[in-house]
Amino acid sequence: MDWATLLNKRRLGQRSSKDESGRTAFLRDHDKIIFSGAFRRLARKTQVHPLATNDHVHNRLTHSLEVSCVGRTLGIQVGQRLAKQGLLPPQVDAADLGDIVQSACLAHDIGNPPFGHTGERAIRAWFRHQGSQWLDLVEPCQRNDLSLFEGNAEGFRILTKSEYHQYDDGMRLTYATLATFLKYPWLSSTCDDSDCPRPGKYSAFVADSAAFEETCQATGLIKLGPMHYVRHPLAYLVEAADDFCYAIIDLEDGLEMDLLHWDEVHALLAPAFPDSDEVRALLQSDMRVGRKAALLRGKIIERFIEAGIEAFMANHDKLLAGTLQGDLISHCEPAVRDVVENAKQLAKTKVFEHPRKIELEIGAFEVIGTLLNGLIEAAVSHARHDESNYRHQRIIDLIGRHSFPPELNALDEQQRIYQCIMRAVDFLSGMTDNYATYLAKQFAGMAETRY
């Protein structure tokens, strides 16, 4: 792979992309995402704690903004190092890499359904059990889109299909940004292969294979098999920014909700504290734990960023050859690598397993199940041109008939059913936690005043 092709600024659909005064093509990608409704709805989507009442606890929007800040710094500083070594094409500068990584970071969770990863599990479980009969109506290669529903792939679908120019290349982002977004650059159908790198993980549905293939080819990603490519090198920076933030932010939320104690957090993070008088003074101060953690956060993230940049540059040739094994953090200095992994483990055992979170997750399965019962039945009836059920027709009205354009009528019934099901799932995935909870009550006949 080469940087000139990897940083392709043309837009999906082979559209040309022009720079404006003070606003490059890649910065315009950033703005398109920021102003989208899908991004705005992340404010009411679960990060870790569903429907958290504490305003200091992170949601998907605040998490995405923080990840984008770390990603921008990683991208710019990597770009500066590449430019210094003469590795960037002449029409690209370090800020462009910062904009690309920042945009992909902003969008990295944009496809998460209500209730986050619990919502993903609930959708998968429904199609495997209560809704398994619907899987028989679609082609075998399409079934993983539903039974292995993945928020990463829904995110790619939002960027390339359902937001802005609906079903006409979506946000029309640059190829570079779209390829950087692809954390798992293979289709859902590849998950059945024995050599799939991450079983159950993928970045594009079969329904979006054309946009996926176009993006990968336009950026020169190395092809490993049918609809299976190596990662864009900048995708490693997006993943690292996400993991760096998770390592710190989940622990901060744990402190805020009294699920963790400062002593155990301090002991875990201590190996990554920079050795400076400022850090020592902060550690010895008597300020409250929340403020102390917030001030130390910046120092730790600086250390993480430095380690990430060094790991990227040390493995630059492998990244371009598509031969790097593992993620970028696994190649960071041991102190940083171990702190990130240990922080994830602590959050998993003490923050994610809080009884209140478990209670809400159980409820999330009921909410998702109730919604899918109505949405999928209505979508299949619509695909079959069955207008005898008034309830189904009203559900289609709620989804929006623009989501079922006349062009679908040109498809055979099996493909029409598949496309209609996918669009009903799009509608569900776009819901916030609050709206999904409200609408499930409406579907179940337990009407309440709109929130």
Side-chain angles (χ1 to χ4, degrees), residues 233-314:
L234 296 183
Y236 286 89
L237 296 182
V238 175
E239 181 181 43
D242 189 23
D243 285 345
F244 287 159
C245 287
Y246 265 132
I248 301 300
I249 301 308
D250 285 348
L251 301 187
E252 275 194 47
D253 284 348
L255 289 170
E256 181 66 37
M257 300 180 74
D258 292 326
L259 305 179
L260 296 174
H261 298 292
W262 169 248
D263 289 346
E264 60 186 331
V265 172
H266 170 263
L268 188 152
L269 298 177
F273 288 146
D275 185 17
S276 69
D277 292 338
E278 183 180 4
V279 169
R280 281 190 288 273
L282 280 173
L283 290 171
Q284 294 168 9
S285 71
D286 59 358
M287 68 177 64
R288 69 180 182 84
V289 167
R291 288 180 58 82
K292 185 181 296 188
L295 290 169
L296 287 167
R297 176 210 311 138
K299 304 300 179 185
I300 297 171
I301 289 180
E302 284 178 12
R303 175 83 180 275
F304 286 173
I305 288 172
E306 290 171 3
I309 293 166
E310 292 303 323
F312 188 97
M313 296 307 300

Coordinates of all heavy atoms in Angstrom, one line a residue, residues 233-314:
P233 N -3.9 1.6 7.4 CA -3.0 1.9 8.5 C -3.5 2.9 9.6 O -3.3 2.7 10.8 CB -1.7 2.5 7.9 CG -1.7 1.9 6.5 CD -3.2 1.8 6.1
L234 N -4.3 3.9 9.1 CA -4.8 4.9 10.1 C -5.9 4.3 10.9 O -6.3 4.8 12.0 CB -5.3 6.1 9.3 CG -4.3 6.9 8.6 CD1 -4.9 8.2 8.0 CD2 -3.1 7.3 9.5
A235 N -6.5 3.1 10.5 CA -7.5 2.5 11.3 C -6.9 2.0 12.7 O -7.6 1.9 13.7 CB -8.2 1.3 10.6
Y236 N -5.6 1.7 12.7 CA -5.0 1.3 13.9 C -4.9 2.5 14.9 O -5.0 2.3 16.1 CB -3.6 0.8 13.6 CG -3.5 -0.5 13.0 CD1 -3.5 -0.7 11.6 CD2 -3.4 -1.7 13.8 CE1 -3.5 -1.9 11.0 CE2 -3.3 -2.9 13.2 CZ -3.4 -3.1 11.8 OH -3.3 -4.3 11.2
L237 N -4.8 3.7 14.4 CA -4.8 4.9 15.3 C -6.2 5.1 15.9 O -6.3 5.5 17.0 CB -4.4 6.1 14.5 CG -2.9 6.1 14.0 CD1 -2.6 7.4 13.3 CD2 -1.9 5.9 15.2
V238 N -7.3 4.9 15.1 CA -8.6 5.0 15.6 C -8.9 4.0 16.7 O -9.4 4.4 17.8 CB -9.7 4.8 14.4 CG1 -11.1 4.8 15.0 CG2 -9.5 5.8 13.4
E239 N -8.5 2.8 16.5 CA -8.6 1.7 17.5 C -7.9 2.1 18.8 O -8.4 1.9 19.9 CB -8.2 0.4 16.9 CG -8.4 -0.8 17.9 CD -7.9 -2.1 17.3 OE1 -6.8 -2.1 16.7 OE2 -8.6 -3.1 17.5
A240 N -6.6 2.6 18.6 CA -5.8 2.9 19.8 C -6.4 4.1 20.5 O -6.5 4.0 21.8 CB -4.4 3.3 19.3
A241 N -6.9 5.1 19.8 CA -7.6 6.2 20.5 C -8.8 5.8 21.3 O -9.0 6.2 22.5 CB -8.0 7.3 19.5
D242 N -9.6 4.9 20.8 CA -10.7 4.3 21.5 C -10.3 3.5 22.7 O -10.9 3.7 23.8 CB -11.5 3.4 20.5 CG -12.8 2.9 21.1 OD1 -13.4 3.6 21.9 OD2 -13.3 1.9 20.6
D243 N -9.3 2.7 22.6 CA -8.9 1.9 23.7 C -8.2 2.8 24.8 O -8.4 2.5 26.0 CB -7.9 0.8 23.2 CG -8.6 -0.3 22.5 OD1 -9.8 -0.4 22.7 OD2 -7.9 -1.1 21.9
F244 N -7.4 3.8 24.4 CA -6.8 4.7 25.4 C -7.9 5.3 26.2 O -7.8 5.5 27.4 CB -6.0 5.7 24.7 CG -4.7 5.2 24.1 CD1 -4.0 5.9 23.1 CD2 -4.1 4.1 24.5 CE1 -2.8 5.5 22.5 CE2 -2.9 3.6 24.0 CZ -2.3 4.3 23.0
C245 N -9.0 5.8 25.5 CA -10.0 6.5 26.3 C -10.8 5.5 27.1 O -11.1 5.8 28.3 CB -11.0 7.2 25.3 SG -10.2 8.7 24.5
Y246 N -11.1 4.3 26.6 CA -11.8 3.3 27.4 C -11.0 3.1 28.7 O -11.6 3.0 29.8 CB -11.9 2.0 26.7 CG -13.2 1.8 25.9 CD1 -13.3 1.4 24.6 CD2 -14.4 2.0 26.6 CE1 -14.5 1.2 24.0 CE2 -15.6 1.8 25.9 CZ -15.6 1.4 24.6 OH -16.8 1.2 24.0
A247 N -9.7 2.9 28.6 CA -8.9 2.6 29.7 C -9.0 3.6 30.9 O -9.0 3.2 32.0 CB -7.4 2.4 29.3
I248 N -9.2 4.8 30.5 CA -9.3 5.9 31.5 C -10.7 6.2 31.9 O -11.1 6.3 33.1 CB -8.5 7.2 31.0 CG1 -7.1 6.8 30.7 CG2 -8.7 8.3 32.1 CD1 -6.3 6.3 31.9
I249 N -11.5 6.4 30.9 CA -12.9 6.9 31.1 C -13.8 5.9 31.9 O -14.6 6.3 32.7 CB -13.5 7.3 29.8 CG1 -12.7 8.4 29.1 CG2 -14.9 7.8 30.0 CD1 -12.3 9.6 29.9
D250 N -13.7 4.6 31.6 CA -14.5 3.7 32.3 C -14.1 3.7 33.8 O -15.0 3.5 34.6 CB -14.3 2.2 31.7 CG -15.0 2.0 30.4 OD1 -15.8 2.9 30.0 OD2 -14.7 1.0 29.7
L251 N -12.9 3.9 34.1 CA -12.4 3.9 35.5 C -13.0 5.2 36.1 O -13.4 5.2 37.3 CB -10.9 3.9 35.6 CG -10.3 2.6 35.0 CD1 -8.8 2.6 35.4 CD2 -11.0 1.3 35.5
E252 N -12.9 6.3 35.4 CA -13.5 7.6 35.9 C -15.0 7.4 36.2 O -15.4 7.9 37.3 CB -13.3 8.7 34.9 CG -11.9 9.4 35.0 CD -11.9 10.7 34.2 OE1 -12.8 11.5 34.4 OE2 -11.0 10.9 33.5
D253 N -15.7 6.8 35.3 CA -17.1 6.6 35.6 C -17.3 5.7 36.8 O -18.2 5.9 37.6 CB -17.8 5.9 34.3 CG -18.0 6.9 33.2 OD1 -17.9 8.2 33.4 OD2 -18.3 6.5 32.1
G254 N -16.5 4.7 36.9 CA -16.5 3.8 38.1 C -16.3 4.6 39.4 O -17.0 4.3 40.4
L255 N -15.4 5.5 39.4 CA -15.2 6.4 40.6 C -16.4 7.2 40.8 O -16.8 7.4 42.0 CB -13.9 7.2 40.4 CG -12.6 6.5 40.4 CD1 -11.5 7.4 40.0 CD2 -12.3 6.0 41.8
E256 N -16.9 7.8 39.8 CA -18.0 8.8 39.9 C -19.3 8.1 40.5 O -20.0 8.6 41.2 CB -18.4 9.3 38.5 CG -19.5 10.3 38.5 CD -19.2 11.6 39.2 OE1 -18.1 12.1 39.2 OE2 -20.1 12.1 39.9
M257 N -19.5 6.8 40.1 CA -20.6 6.0 40.6 C -20.3 5.2 41.8 O -21.2 4.4 42.2 CB -21.1 5.1 39.4 CG -21.5 5.9 38.2 SD -22.1 4.8 36.8 CE -23.7 4.4 37.5
D258 N -19.2 5.4 42.4 CA -18.8 4.7 43.7 C -18.7 3.2 43.5 O -19.0 2.4 44.4 CB -19.8 5.1 44.8 CG -19.7 6.5 45.3 OD1 -18.5 7.1 45.2 OD2 -20.7 7.1 45.6
L259 N -18.3 2.8 42.3 CA -18.1 1.4 42.0 C -16.7 1.0 42.2 O -16.4 -0.2 42.3 CB -18.6 1.1 40.6 CG -20.0 1.4 40.2 CD1 -20.3 1.1 38.7 CD2 -21.0 0.8 41.1
L260 N -15.8 2.0 42.2 CA -14.4 1.8 42.3 C -13.8 2.7 43.4 O -14.4 3.7 43.7 CB -13.6 2.0 41.0 CG -13.9 1.1 39.8 CD1 -13.2 1.6 38.6 CD2 -13.6 -0.3 40.1
H261 N -12.7 2.3 44.0 CA -12.0 3.1 45.0 C -10.8 3.7 44.4 O -10.1 3.1 43.5 CB -11.7 2.3 46.2 CG -12.9 1.8 46.9 ND1 -13.8 2.6 47.6 CD2 -13.4 0.5 47.1 CE1 -14.8 1.8 48.1 NE2 -14.5 0.6 47.8
W262 N -10.4 4.9 44.8 CA -9.2 5.6 44.3 C -8.0 4.8 44.4 O -7.1 4.7 43.5 CB -9.1 7.0 44.9 CG -7.8 7.6 44.6 CD1 -6.7 7.9 45.4 CD2 -7.3 8.0 43.2 NE1 -5.7 8.4 44.7 CE2 -6.0 8.5 43.4 CE3 -7.9 8.0 42.0 CZ2 -5.3 9.0 42.3 CZ3 -7.2 8.5 40.9 CH2 -5.9 9.0 41.1
D263 N -7.8 4.1 45.6 CA -6.6 3.3 45.8 C -6.4 2.3 44.7 O -5.2 2.1 44.3 CB -6.7 2.7 47.2 CG -6.5 3.7 48.3 OD1 -6.1 4.8 48.1 OD2 -6.8 3.3 49.5
E264 N -7.4 1.6 44.3 CA -7.2 0.5 43.3 C -7.0 1.1 42.0 O -6.2 0.6 41.2 CB -8.4 -0.5 43.3 CG -9.8 0.1 43.0 CD -10.9 -0.9 43.1 OE1 -10.6 -2.1 43.0 OE2 -12.0 -0.4 43.4
V265 N -7.6 2.2 41.7 CA -7.4 2.9 40.4 C -6.0 3.4 40.3 O -5.3 3.3 39.3 CB -8.5 4.0 40.2 CG1 -8.1 4.8 38.9 CG2 -9.9 3.4 40.0
H266 N -5.6 4.1 41.4 CA -4.2 4.6 41.5 C -3.2 3.5 41.3 O -2.2 3.7 40.5 CB -4.0 5.4 42.8 CG -2.6 5.8 43.0 ND1 -1.7 5.0 43.8 CD2 -1.8 6.8 42.6 CE1 -0.5 5.6 43.8 NE2 -0.6 6.7 43.1
A267 N -3.3 2.4 42.0 CA -2.4 1.3 41.9 C -2.3 0.8 40.4 O -1.2 0.4 40.0 CB -2.7 0.2 42.8
L268 N -3.4 0.8 39.7 CA -3.4 0.2 38.4 C -2.7 1.2 37.4 O -2.0 0.8 36.5 CB -4.9 0.0 38.0 CG -5.1 -0.7 36.6 CD1 -6.4 -1.5 36.7 CD2 -5.1 0.3 35.4
L269 N -3.0 2.5 37.6 CA -2.5 3.5 36.6 C -1.1 3.9 36.9 O -0.4 4.5 36.0 CB -3.4 4.7 36.6 CG -4.9 4.5 36.2 CD1 -5.6 5.8 36.3 CD2 -4.9 4.0 34.7
A270 N -0.6 3.7 38.1 CA 0.7 4.2 38.5 C 1.9 4.0 37.6 O 2.7 4.8 37.3 CB 1.0 3.7 39.9
P271 N 1.9 2.8 37.0 CA 3.1 2.5 36.0 C 3.1 3.4 34.8 O 4.1 3.6 34.2 CB 2.9 1.1 35.6 CG 2.1 0.4 36.7 CD 1.2 1.5 37.2
A272 N 1.9 4.0 34.5 CA 1.9 4.9 33.3 C 2.0 6.4 33.7 O 2.0 7.2 32.8 CB 0.6 4.7 32.5
F273 N 2.1 6.7 35.0 CA 2.2 8.1 35.3 C 3.5 8.7 34.9 O 4.6 8.1 35.2 CB 2.1 8.3 36.8 CG 0.7 8.1 37.4 CD1 0.5 7.6 38.7 CD2 -0.4 8.5 36.7 CE1 -0.8 7.4 39.2 CE2 -1.7 8.4 37.2 CZ -1.9 7.8 38.4
P274 N 3.6 9.8 34.2 CA 4.9 10.4 33.9 C 5.6 10.8 35.1 O 5.0 11.1 36.2 CB 4.5 11.7 33.1 CG 3.1 11.4 32.6 CD 2.4 10.6 33.6
D275 N 6.9 10.7 35.1 CA 7.8 11.0 36.3 C 8.1 12.5 36.3 O 9.0 12.9 35.7 CB 9.1 10.2 36.2 CG 9.9 10.4 37.4 OD1 9.4 10.8 38.5 OD2 11.1 10.0 37.4
S276 N 7.2 13.2 36.9 CA 7.4 14.7 37.0 C 6.9 15.3 38.3 O 6.1 14.6 39.0 CB 6.6 15.4 35.8 OG 5.2 15.3 36.1
D277 N 7.4 16.4 38.6 CA 7.1 17.1 39.9 C 5.6 17.4 39.9 O 4.9 17.3 41.0 CB 7.9 18.4 40.1 CG 9.3 18.1 40.3 OD1 9.6 17.0 40.8 OD2 10.2 19.0 40.1
E278 N 5.0 17.8 38.7 CA 3.6 18.1 38.7 C 2.7 16.9 39.0 O 1.8 17.0 39.8 CB 3.3 18.6 37.3 CG 1.8 19.1 37.1 CD 1.5 19.6 35.7 OE1 2.4 19.5 34.8 OE2 0.4 20.1 35.5
V279 N 3.1 15.8 38.5 CA 2.3 14.6 38.8 C 2.4 14.2 40.2 O 1.4 13.8 40.9 CB 2.7 13.4 37.8 CG1 2.1 12.1 38.3 CG2 2.4 13.7 36.4
R280 N 3.6 14.2 40.8 CA 3.8 13.9 42.2 C 3.0 14.8 43.1 O 2.4 14.4 44.1 CB 5.3 13.9 42.5 CG 6.1 12.7 42.0 CD 7.5 12.7 42.6 NE 8.3 13.7 42.0 CZ 9.0 13.5 40.8 NH1 9.0 12.3 40.2 NH2 9.8 14.5 40.3
A281 N 3.0 16.1 42.7 CA 2.2 17.1 43.5 C 0.7 16.7 43.5 O 0.0 16.8 44.5 CB 2.5 18.5 43.0
L282 N 0.2 16.4 42.3 CA -1.2 16.0 42.2 C -1.5 14.8 43.0 O -2.5 14.7 43.7 CB -1.5 15.7 40.7 CG -1.8 17.0 39.8 CD1 -1.9 16.5 38.3 CD2 -3.0 17.7 40.2
L283 N -0.6 13.8 43.0 CA -0.9 12.6 43.7 C -0.9 12.8 45.2 O -1.7 12.1 45.9 CB 0.2 11.5 43.3 CG 0.1 10.9 41.9 CD1 1.3 10.1 41.6 CD2 -1.2 10.1 41.7
Q284 N -0.1 13.7 45.7 CA 0.0 14.0 47.1 C -1.1 15.0 47.6 O -1.2 15.3 48.8 CB 1.4 14.5 47.4 CG 2.4 13.4 47.2 CD 3.9 14.0 47.3 OE1 4.1 15.1 47.6 NE2 4.8 13.1 46.9
S285 N -1.8 15.7 46.7 CA -2.7 16.7 47.1 C -3.9 16.1 47.8 O -4.2 14.9 47.7 CB -3.2 17.5 45.8 OG -4.0 16.7 45.0
D286 N -4.7 17.0 48.5 CA -5.8 16.5 49.2 C -7.1 16.9 48.5 O -8.2 16.8 49.1 CB -5.8 17.1 50.6 CG -5.8 18.6 50.6 OD1 -5.8 19.2 49.5 OD2 -5.9 19.2 51.7
M287 N -7.0 17.2 47.2 CA -8.3 17.5 46.4 C -9.1 16.3 46.3 O -8.6 15.1 46.4 CB -7.9 18.1 45.0 CG -7.3 17.1 44.1 SD -7.0 17.8 42.4 CE -5.8 19.1 42.8
R288 N -10.4 16.4 46.0 CA -11.3 15.3 46.0 C -10.9 14.4 44.8 O -10.3 14.8 43.8 CB -12.7 15.7 45.9 CG -13.2 16.4 44.6 CD -14.6 16.7 44.7 NE -15.1 17.3 43.4 CZ -15.5 16.6 42.4 NH1 -15.5 15.3 42.4 NH2 -16.0 17.3 41.3
V289 N -11.2 13.1 44.9 CA -10.8 12.1 44.0 C -11.2 12.4 42.5 O -10.4 12.3 41.6 CB -11.4 10.7 44.4 CG1 -11.2 9.7 43.3 CG2 -10.7 10.2 45.6
G290 N -12.4 12.9 42.3 CA -12.9 13.2 41.0 C -12.0 14.2 40.3 O -11.6 14.1 39.1
R291 N -11.6 15.3 41.0 CA -10.8 16.3 40.4 C -9.4 15.8 40.1 O -8.7 16.1 39.1 CB -10.8 17.6 41.3 CG -12.1 18.3 41.3 CD -12.0 19.6 42.2 NE -10.9 20.4 41.8 CZ -11.0 21.4 40.9 NH1 -12.1 21.5 40.2 NH2 -9.9 22.1 40.6
K292 N -8.9 15.0 41.1 CA -7.5 14.5 40.9 C -7.5 13.6 39.7 O -6.5 13.7 38.9 CB -7.2 13.7 42.2 CG -5.7 13.2 42.2 CD -5.5 12.4 43.5 CE -5.6 13.3 44.8 NZ -5.1 12.6 46.0
A293 N -8.5 12.7 39.6 CA -8.5 11.8 38.4 C -8.6 12.6 37.1 O -7.9 12.2 36.1 CB -9.7 10.9 38.6
A294 N -9.3 13.6 37.1 CA -9.5 14.4 35.8 C -8.2 15.1 35.4 O -7.8 15.1 34.2 CB -10.6 15.5 36.0
L295 N -7.5 15.6 36.4 CA -6.2 16.3 36.1 C -5.1 15.3 35.7 O -4.3 15.5 34.8 CB -5.7 17.1 37.3 CG -6.6 18.3 37.6 CD1 -6.2 18.9 39.0 CD2 -6.3 19.4 36.6
L296 N -5.1 14.1 36.3 CA -4.1 13.1 36.0 C -4.4 12.4 34.6 O -3.5 11.9 33.9 CB -4.1 12.0 37.1 CG -3.4 12.5 38.4 CD1 -3.7 11.5 39.5 CD2 -1.9 12.6 38.2
R297 N -5.7 12.5 34.2 CA -6.1 11.9 33.0 C -5.3 12.4 31.8 O -4.8 11.7 31.0 CB -7.6 12.1 32.7 CG -8.1 11.6 31.4 CD -9.3 12.4 30.9 NE -10.3 12.6 31.9 CZ -10.9 13.8 32.0 NH1 -10.6 14.9 31.3 NH2 -11.8 13.9 32.9
G298 N -5.2 13.7 31.8 CA -4.5 14.3 30.7 C -3.0 13.9 30.6 O -2.5 13.6 29.5
K299 N -2.4 13.7 31.8 CA -1.0 13.3 31.8 C -0.8 11.9 31.3 O 0.1 11.5 30.6 CB -0.5 13.4 33.2 CG -0.6 14.8 33.8 CD 0.2 15.9 33.0 CE 0.0 17.2 33.6 NZ 0.7 18.3 32.8
I300 N -1.8 11.0 31.7 CA -1.7 9.6 31.3 C -2.0 9.5 29.8 O -1.3 8.8 29.1 CB -2.7 8.8 32.1 CG1 -2.4 8.8 33.6 CG2 -2.8 7.4 31.6 CD1 -3.4 8.2 34.5
I301 N -3.0 10.2 29.3 CA -3.3 10.2 27.9 C -2.1 10.7 27.0 O -1.8 10.1 26.0 CB -4.6 10.9 27.5 CG1 -5.7 10.1 28.1 CG2 -4.7 11.1 26.0 CD1 -7.1 10.8 27.9
E302 N -1.4 11.7 27.5 CA -0.2 12.1 26.8 C 0.8 11.0 26.7 O 1.5 10.8 25.7 CB 0.5 13.3 27.6 CG -0.2 14.6 27.4 CD 0.4 15.8 28.2 OE1 1.5 15.5 28.7 OE2 -0.2 16.8 28.3
R303 N 1.0 10.3 27.8 CA 1.9 9.1 27.8 C 1.4 8.0 26.8 O 2.2 7.5 26.0 CB 2.0 8.5 29.2 CG 2.9 7.3 29.3 CD 4.3 7.6 29.4 NE 5.1 6.3 29.5 CZ 5.3 5.7 30.7 NH1 4.8 6.2 31.8 NH2 6.1 4.6 30.7
F304 N 0.1 7.8 26.8 CA -0.4 6.8 25.9 C -0.2 7.2 24.4 O 0.2 6.4 23.6 CB -1.9 6.7 26.1 CG -2.3 5.9 27.3 CD1 -3.7 5.9 27.7 CD2 -1.4 5.3 28.1 CE1 -4.1 5.2 28.8 CE2 -1.8 4.6 29.3 CZ -3.1 4.5 29.6
I305 N -0.4 8.5 24.1 CA -0.3 9.0 22.8 C 1.2 8.9 22.3 O 1.5 8.4 21.2 CB -0.7 10.5 22.7 CG1 -2.3 10.6 22.8 CG2 -0.2 11.2 21.4 CD1 -2.8 12.0 22.9
E306 N 2.1 9.2 23.2 CA 3.6 9.1 22.8 C 3.9 7.6 22.5 O 4.6 7.3 21.5 CB 4.4 9.6 24.0 CG 4.4 11.1 24.2 CD 5.1 11.5 25.5 OE1 5.6 10.6 26.2 OE2 5.1 12.7 25.8
A307 N 3.4 6.7 23.3 CA 3.6 5.3 23.1 C 3.0 4.8 21.8 O 3.6 4.0 21.0 CB 3.1 4.5 24.2
G308 N 1.8 5.3 21.5 CA 1.1 4.9 20.2 C 1.8 5.4 19.0 O 1.9 4.7 18.0
I309 N 2.3 6.6 19.0 CA 3.1 7.2 17.9 C 4.3 6.4 17.7 O 4.7 6.0 16.5 CB 3.4 8.7 18.1 CG1 2.1 9.5 18.1 CG2 4.4 9.2 17.1 CD1 2.3 10.9 18.7
E310 N 5.1 6.1 18.7 CA 6.3 5.3 18.6 C 6.0 3.9 18.0 O 6.8 3.4 17.2 CB 7.0 5.2 19.9 CG 7.6 6.5 20.5 CD 8.5 7.1 19.5 OE1 9.3 6.4 18.8 OE2 8.5 8.4 19.4
A311 N 4.9 3.3 18.5 CA 4.6 1.9 18.0 C 4.2 2.0 16.5 O 4.6 1.1 15.7 CB 3.4 1.4 18.8
F312 N 3.5 3.0 16.1 CA 3.1 3.2 14.7 C 4.3 3.3 13.8 O 4.5 2.6 12.8 CB 2.2 4.4 14.5 CG 1.6 4.5 13.2 CD1 0.3 4.0 12.9 CD2 2.2 5.1 12.1 CE1 -0.3 4.1 11.7 CE2 1.7 5.2 10.8 CZ 0.4 4.7 10.6
M313 N 5.2 4.2 14.2 CA 6.4 4.5 13.4 C 7.3 3.3 13.4 O 7.9 3.0 12.3 CB 7.1 5.7 13.9 CG 6.3 7.0 13.8 SD 5.6 7.3 12.1 CE 7.1 7.4 11.1
A314 N 7.5 2.6 14.5 CA 8.3 1.4 14.5 C 7.8 0.3 13.6 O 8.6 -0.5 13.1 CB 8.5 0.9 15.9

